[in-house]
Amino acid sequence: MKKIRMGCGSASWGDMLDPAVELMEKGELDYMGFDHLAELTMSILQRMKDKNPKRGYIPDLLPWMRALLPIAREKGVRMLTNAGGANPEQAGTDVMALSKELGVDGMKIGVISGDDVGSRLDDFRKQGLKFENLDTGEEDIDRIADKIVAAHVYVGSESLVEGLEKGADLIITGRASDNAMYVAPMVHELGWKMDDWHKMGTAVTVGHIIECSAGCAGGMSNFWKEIKEPWRVAFPIAEVYEDGRTIITKAKGAGRMVNEWTVKEHLVYEVHDPENYFMPDAIGDFSKICVKDIGKDEVEVTGIGGKKRPDMLKMTIGYEDGWIGESEISVCWPDAYEKAKFCEAFLRGRFKARNLTIDDVRFDFIGMNSIHGPLSKMTENLEDINEIRVRVAAKTRTREDANQVRREVTHLWTHGPVGTTAVISPPPPRKVIGLWPTLVPRELVPTKVEMMEG
Amino acid sequence: MTTYKLKDLAYARSGDKGDIVDIGVMAKDDEAYQILKKHLTADKVKAFFSPIVKGKVLRYDIDTLNSLEFVMHNALGGGATRTLCMDQTGKAYGPNMLRMEFEDDD
């Protein structure tokens, strides 16, 4: 029976490189997929491209390819990445130049475009589309129309499959869904029809399991105590058979673990309704999924279902939405808690005295309540607390006000209680990109592949 | 009457999509799962998170994984890019939920 082995090489912008290299070397792979994009990333990349038309893709792409291309060529592994971000064409051009520098001859790169609809929004609106906000229910994008930074559609794997058919060694996309990087090889190699919803449901679900790199292999894990060598991180492999049976595993000798629990942890992660896991290529149904340990670091996954792909695709519009100013400073024993309260009162008063326009403000006492907020259990002996790091974050309308928030924190150094210290270097004011999730009819967003040959 | 601590019965992992936080709760065994199915209702979870979560809370059951999925709306201060929370992506909501205690009132 036909099968393929796909490895995951990245789950985000800034993920670890060496587990990807180890997996490429030892994984006996046919394909490696990479996800580098989060919801916010497209707006950041679009702004980079607006400033410099030769930028706007994930900068990590070049060092990643420098490390991986020669090994991939030697092992015959084809790669798919959405690191193209807001500028997949430039990413293709630059990786092609890199491949020549590395002596990797005859590269074929498939560049996928069509997901960037920023310049088409006005047209869409003229056609009567209003773009209701899926989070807030707001019916029309009028309120943010003049603040829009970027608009990208989560597209599926059709053009990626076409690129593989045309012989691409590397596929570079923009905002294709994370799991399209894995769906495309399954369709291409296993002969799965893209309207066989059972198979496509399997494909998007298998993609979900491995697309988050170590997420199914001991990363973010409840079972972290079982990890003997924390520094050794392993990325996963999905071995998928023609009939849909799938084994999740990792390269022999790689660190950490893949077992029923680590796979389950990822199956319940960020999925909303498990019976209706919406992806551009299909709706996955893993309400009856079974996972079973069949060997050391080998988990069999069966029982995945699927339904027809949605007619509407998800579009995320990024828009400018003010600024965040934040900073931190430390107070110490004795009376650390009382000192932290003093700092909070100081800052609230200073913000008022300086007439800062603040739409929202939050104080955290790091070490006490900064992560679990009001549900944190307070320690009984407040006088025993060694230290508290006071953090303030404020949402402002202007950069100047955000900057003043952090300057006021710095003033606590010399105008706060005795022993207040460790200002370090406060982060610069942060421009806020609001995200407006909405839907767009699939037929309005065709994608295409362009082949580049070296 | 028995008092259960969720930490003794389950593992949990959480993450975000926009202003939604999902928490996957995995029962440690079959017996624990039956207790969770019966007692860990969406209403109880919403009440527990009421100081933080402003919107509706939905529950989905995955019997084959002994797991419950809780989907919490308006949960992250406007979403990862806008929130003032340090836990911008809701990763710590799962462990926070393990603080829950509930009673078997049969």
Side-chain angles (χ1 to χ4, degrees):
Chain A
M1 194 186 296
K2 272 198 239 171
K3 65 162 187 178
I4 55 167
R5 272 166 76 90
M6 304 179 293
C8 172
S10 172
S12 62
W13 184 351
D15 206 343
M16 228 180 244
L17 174 57
D18 47 304
V21 173
E22 181 182 32
L23 184 54
M24 183 65 87
E25 280 172 343
K26 299 182 190 163
E28 298 173 44
L29 303 178
D30 304 304
Y31 287 85
M32 183 174 271
F34 303 82
D35 170 35
H36 293 275
L37 304 177
E39 290 186 297
L40 170 65
T41 318
M42 295 307 295
S43 290
I44 296 173
L45 293 172
Q46 184 64 46
R47 280 215 308 247
M48 283 166 61
K49 185 184 177 185
D50 291 344
K51 283 181 196 157
N52 180 346
K54 289 196 179 298
R55 296 182 66 198
Y57 62 87
I58 298 282
D60 279 351
L61 177 64
L62 293 179
W64 257 238
M65 287 300 125
R66 184 177 287 280
L68 292 167
L69 263 181
I71 318 170
R73 169 53 60 95
E74 183 203 326
K75 306 273 184 193
V77 179
R78 302 166 82 180
M79 296 187 282
L80 305 95
T81 175
N82 61 15
N87 201 348
E89 298 82 5
Q90 188 65 42
T93 303
D94 292 356
V95 173
M96 188 59 86
L98 174 70
S99 70
K100 287 184 177 140
E101 181 199 323
L102 295 171
V104 177
D105 296 324
M107 269 288 284
K108 283 190 184 178
I109 300 177
V111 174
I112 315 293
S113 57
D115 59 301
D116 180 355
V117 294
S119 62
R120 300 177 60 204
L121 281 183
D122 284 343
D123 273 354
F124 289 165
R125 296 182 78 198
K126 277 179 198 148
Q127 292 175 44
L129 295 172
K130 291 190 181 332
F131 299 120
E132 180 183 339
N133 186 317
L134 295 175
D135 271 356
T136 65
E138 277 178 273
E139 284 178 5
D140 195 306
I141 57 171
D142 267 348
R143 179 172 70 80
I144 60 153
D146 58 345
K147 298 180 200 150
I148 291 174
V149 178
H152 291 87
V153 179
Y154 284 68
V155 297
S157 63
E158 287 151 313
S159 294
L160 286 71
V161 173
E162 191 186 334
L164 293 177
E165 281 164 2
K166 289 178 171 165
D169 303 295
L170 171 65
I171 298 275
I172 300 178
T173 77
R175 185 60 278 189
S177 73
D178 309 355
N179 66 30
M181 308 302 131
Y182 306 96
V183 173
M186 286 183 257
V187 169
H188 178 62
E189 296 289 339
L190 301 175
W192 291 358
K193 298 278 180 286
M194 292 194 77
D195 58 358
D196 178 342
W197 304 120
H198 184 252
K199 288 286 183 358
M200 295 307 286
T202 301
V204 300
T205 304
V206 170
H208 167 70
I209 294 173
I210 64 167
E211 79 198 5
C212 216
S213 73
C216 67
M220 303 184 282
S221 182
N222 287 271
F223 306 92
W224 58 275
K225 288 179 185 167
E226 294 171 21
I227 297 170
K228 301 299 175 216
E229 298 174 302
W231 60 92
R232 292 186 63 212
V233 172
F235 286 175
I237 299 168
E239 187 173 279
V240 186
Y241 291 79
E242 203 176 355
D243 64 0
R245 193 173 81 99
T246 298
I247 293 162
I248 307 298
T249 182
K250 65 185 179 71
K252 286 205 167 55
R256 299 202 173 178
M257 69 286 202
V258 174
N259 59 41
E260 266 180 33
W261 283 105
T262 65
V263 172
K264 269 168 71 166
E265 279 184 301
H266 205 68
L267 276 168
V268 301
Y269 179 68
E270 293 182 350
V271 295
H272 295 356
D273 175 359
E275 206 173 324
N276 294 288
Y277 178 60
F278 273 77
M279 280 293 132
D281 289 312
I283 298 173
D285 175 0
F286 40 104
S287 57
K288 296 178 184 64
I289 198 168
C290 292
V291 299
K292 194 170 97 185
D293 285 321
I294 57 166
K296 187 177 181 305
D297 298 311
E298 282 191 328
V299 177
E300 182 187 68
V301 181
T302 53
I304 305 168
K307 300 172 195 168
K308 184 176 183 295
R309 68 185 192 183
D311 295 330
M312 304 288 275
L313 294 175
K314 183 175 171 186
M315 175 165 85
T316 299
I317 302 171
Y319 63 98
E320 291 182 357
D321 188 20
W323 293 80
I324 290 176
E326 60 188 312
S327 191
E328 297 170 6
I329 197 160
S330 293
V331 293
C332 63
W333 185 94
D335 304 321
Y337 184 65
E338 295 305 313
K339 287 173 178 169
K341 298 291 255 184
F342 179 98
C343 291
E344 179 175 338
F346 172 95
L347 291 168
R348 285 188 190 276
R350 291 293 302 167
F351 296 164
K352 220 172 260 174
R354 294 297 306 255
N355 286 319
L356 305 187
T357 304
I358 288 178
D359 292 330
D360 194 9
V361 64
R362 177 182 165 114
F363 286 88
D364 291 299
F365 292 176
I366 296 173
M368 295 187 77
N369 63 9
S370 68
I371 301 300
H372 286 170
L375 299 178
S376 307
K377 191 176 169 194
M378 295 295 269
T379 171
E380 280 168 20
N381 299 313
L382 290 173
E383 64 272 21
D384 288 345
I385 293 173
N386 288 313
E387 62 197 43
I388 295 174
R389 190 139 180 92
V390 178
R391 179 229 184 207
V392 62
K395 177 100 181 340
T396 66
R397 301 194 188 161
T398 64
R399 187 180 200 287
E400 291 68 32
D401 281 0
N403 196 45
Q404 196 58 38
V405 167
R406 64 182 193 141
R407 291 197 61 160
E408 294 300 339
V409 176
T410 308
H411 291 325
L412 275 166
W413 201 2
T414 45
H415 304 297
V418 59
T420 302
T421 189
V423 187
I424 313 185
S425 184
R430 178 150 54 92
K431 197 170 196 173
V432 177
I433 300 291
L435 298 177
W436 186 283
T438 186
L439 297 172
V440 60
R442 171 186 293 277
E443 62 272 15
L444 290 181
V445 193
T447 58
K448 65 171 198 268
V449 59
E450 274 178 62
M451 298 299 295
M452 302 171 63
E453 303 197 15
Chain B
M1 192 146 63
T2 317
T3 300
Y4 295 109
K5 293 182 174 178
L6 186 56
K7 185 175 184 295
D8 297 333
L9 299 176
Y11 305 106
R13 183 194 273 186
S14 56
D16 67 312
K17 280 278 182 296
D19 201 19
I20 292 174
V21 172
D22 279 8
I23 305 181
V25 177
M26 293 157 279
K28 293 187 179 180
D29 55 38
D30 294 344
E31 192 188 339
Y33 184 57
Q34 294 311 319
I35 296 169
L36 297 186
K37 256 183 95 90
K38 189 170 168 198
H39 295 286
L40 195 61
T41 60
D43 284 346
K44 279 187 192 154
V45 173
K46 182 168 168 52
F48 176 76
F49 275 110
S50 61
I52 299 171
V53 173
K54 302 303 170 199
K56 64 187 173 189
V57 174
L58 303 172
R59 182 182 112 176
Y60 300 96
D61 300 9
I62 317 176
D63 290 344
T64 48
L65 298 183
N66 279 353
S67 295
L68 304 175
E69 182 85 17
F70 291 90
V71 180
M72 312 197 296
H73 292 254
N74 303 110
L76 205 54
T81 67
R82 302 181 70 223
T83 185
L84 298 179
C85 301
M86 295 189 72
D87 180 17
Q88 289 176 310
T89 52
K91 294 282 191 278
Y93 281 56
N96 204 1
M97 184 172 170
L98 295 181
R99 296 175 186 276
M100 277 185 80
E101 294 181 4
F102 48 89
E103 283 169 357
D104 188 344
D105 37 20
D106 290 344

